[in-house]
Amino acid sequence: MASICDTDIPLQLKNIDAFFASYRNSLQSITATAIKAARSQSQLTEVKAKLREAEDELVKALAVKTRREAKRMALKDSIASVKERVEVMKTKIQRQRSKCEECASVVSQHRLVLAASEQKSNESNELKDEAQEVISWYNRILGFHVEGGHGVKFTFKNIDENNPNEEFRFTIRHEDDMYTLLNCEPSLKDIDKLIHELNKTNGLFKFVRTMRRKFQEAVTQGSLSMTTNEHQESTFISASAPVFSTLTITEGYEHQGEPTKGNTHLQKQVNQRMVKSAILSPGSASSVCQSPRLKARK
């Protein structure tokens, strides 16, 4: 029994030593593991802190990105708005250019019209001067004179070679498209036929030439009567109203009452026609000299 115990004790001691050695090794391993775990925990804390910092940086970065994106979108909208305004301005500029071109064209046309108007005005002034000279020539050489008033009185001199200053006159009135002979001094034969022809053809200037020729023929034949021939108003209507002129009428005419509009225009028409053609008939035109200006124009 004692021998068995003595044999088991060393074996048990050996087992105990082995257990303690194993326990010691396990304890060392656990201690090392605990140390590693503590170190890992510290590292984990550090990593977590870094992760939180990283998260904060990410949030900041996202906020910056969001702000930048918002700015980019605002800038994009602003650029689009500016482009739209640029297009609108281009359209307005194009319209203004078109208007400027139209205005320039209108101004150019107005300048041309103004130049033409100035030229016409100069020509009109020249024509007025010429008209006054021709009228003066008719008055001086032919003894022809026109006076306005209740009617238009035509006066001729230089009809009778024996008495050049003797006046031969007649007065006509144009009203309501009708010519009326008011008087004729001295009286002529067949005067009603001439008035009828005048109202039929509206040939006023042919009528004036015919009247001068009639006076000349009457003087030649010695058949004149120096009594005034008063005529009733003719009822013949002219084919068309005369085309009235705007030339200045002869100065110094005597009013025979308040002149009517038709008679005033009638005298203007006579003065214009005096510039353009001779009042004398073809047969008697060669018996007097012509106006110097008419000669120059011819």
Side-chain angles (χ1 to χ4, degrees):
M1 189 70 181
S3 60
I4 294 172
C5 290
D6 291 336
T7 303
D8 290 335
I9 289 172
L11 183 59
Q12 291 296 327
L13 290 173
K14 186 177 179 179
N15 289 335
I16 291 170
D17 292 336
F19 174 74
F20 277 110
S22 176
Y23 176 76
R24 192 180 300 108
N25 291 333
S26 297
L27 184 60
Q28 290 177 353
S29 177
I30 290 170
T31 301
T33 302
I35 293 172
K36 289 181 179 180
R39 290 177 180 175
S40 296
Q41 185 67 31
S42 176
Q43 292 177 354
L44 180 61
T45 302
E46 293 177 358
V47 168
K48 286 182 178 181
K50 291 180 179 181
L51 182 59
R52 282 193 297 271
E53 292 177 359
E55 287 179 352
D56 294 338
E57 293 294 332
L58 179 60
V59 171
K60 293 179 181 179
L62 289 176
V64 172
K65 181 180 179 182
T66 302
R67 287 194 298 271
R68 289 180 178 177
E69 184 68 19
K71 290 181 179 180
R72 187 183 70 82
M73 293 300 296
L75 184 60
K76 184 178 180 180
D77 294 339
S78 178
I79 292 173
S81 178
V82 170
K83 286 182 177 180
E84 184 178 358
R85 291 180 181 178
V86 169
E87 292 298 325
V88 172
M89 292 301 296
K90 285 182 178 180
T91 304
K92 290 183 178 180
I93 291 172
Q94 187 64 31
R95 290 178 181 175
Q96 290 296 328
R97 285 179 179 175
S98 300
K99 289 182 179 180
C100 288
E101 292 176 356
E102 292 177 359
C103 291
S105 177
V106 171
V107 170
S108 177
Q109 292 177 359
H110 285 181
R111 286 180 179 176
L112 293 176
V113 171
L114 181 59
S117 178
E118 290 179 352
Q119 183 178 0
K120 287 182 180 179
S121 178
N122 294 333
E123 293 176 355
S124 177
N125 291 333
E126 292 177 0
L127 184 59
K128 287 180 180 179
D129 295 339
E130 183 175 328
Q132 292 299 327
E133 180 179 345
V134 172
I135 291 171
S136 177
W137 178 80
Y138 271 105
N139 294 337
R140 185 178 67 256
I141 303 301
L142 301 180
F144 179 76
H145 188 66
V146 180
E147 297 177 1
H150 180 61
V152 179
K153 182 169 68 174
F154 297 84
T155 303
F156 298 99
K157 292 182 181 180
N158 298 328
I159 299 293
D160 188 352
E161 294 180 358
N162 298 324
N163 187 9
N165 293 325
E166 182 180 359
E167 293 185 350
F168 298 77
R169 64 178 66 88
F170 65 91
T171 304
I172 61 174
R173 180 176 63 185
H174 183 271
E175 189 174 8
D176 297 330
D177 291 334
M178 182 178 66
Y179 291 99
T180 304
L181 181 66
L182 300 182
N183 63 2
C184 179
E185 301 176 10
S187 61
L188 295 173
K189 296 180 180 179
D190 300 328
I191 192 69
D192 291 334
K193 293 181 179 180
L194 296 178
I195 293 296
H196 174 75
E197 183 68 18
L198 172 61
N199 280 292
K200 182 178 179 181
T201 63
N202 197 33
L204 173 63
F205 306 104
K206 179 180 178 182
F207 174 78
V208 175
R209 291 195 299 268
T210 303
M211 289 294 292
R212 182 181 176 89
R213 187 176 69 250
K214 289 290 186 181
F215 284 136
Q216 289 175 328
E217 291 175 355
V219 169
T220 302
Q221 297 172 3
S223 60
L224 285 176
S225 174
M226 297 306 295
T227 58
T228 302
N229 187 6
E230 298 290 343
H231 290 264
Q232 299 294 328
E233 292 189 357
S234 173
T235 57
F236 297 104
I237 306 301
S238 61
S240 61
V243 180
F244 298 126
S245 168
T246 57
L247 286 179
T248 304
I249 64 175
T250 306
E251 296 180 358
Y253 64 83
E254 298 176 359
H255 289 284
Q256 303 174 1
E258 186 67 22
T260 61
K261 182 179 180 182
N263 293 320
T264 302
H265 287 305
L266 182 60
Q267 185 175 4
K268 292 181 181 180
Q269 185 185 15
V270 170
N271 288 336
Q272 182 187 25
R273 188 60 178 269
M274 287 169 62
V275 180
K276 295 182 178 179
S277 64
I279 299 298
L280 290 175
S281 62
S284 60
S286 60
S287 64
V288 294
C289 60
Q290 291 183 344
S291 170
R293 180 168 293 191
L294 290 178
K295 288 183 178 180
R297 292 184 65 180
K298 289 184 178 180

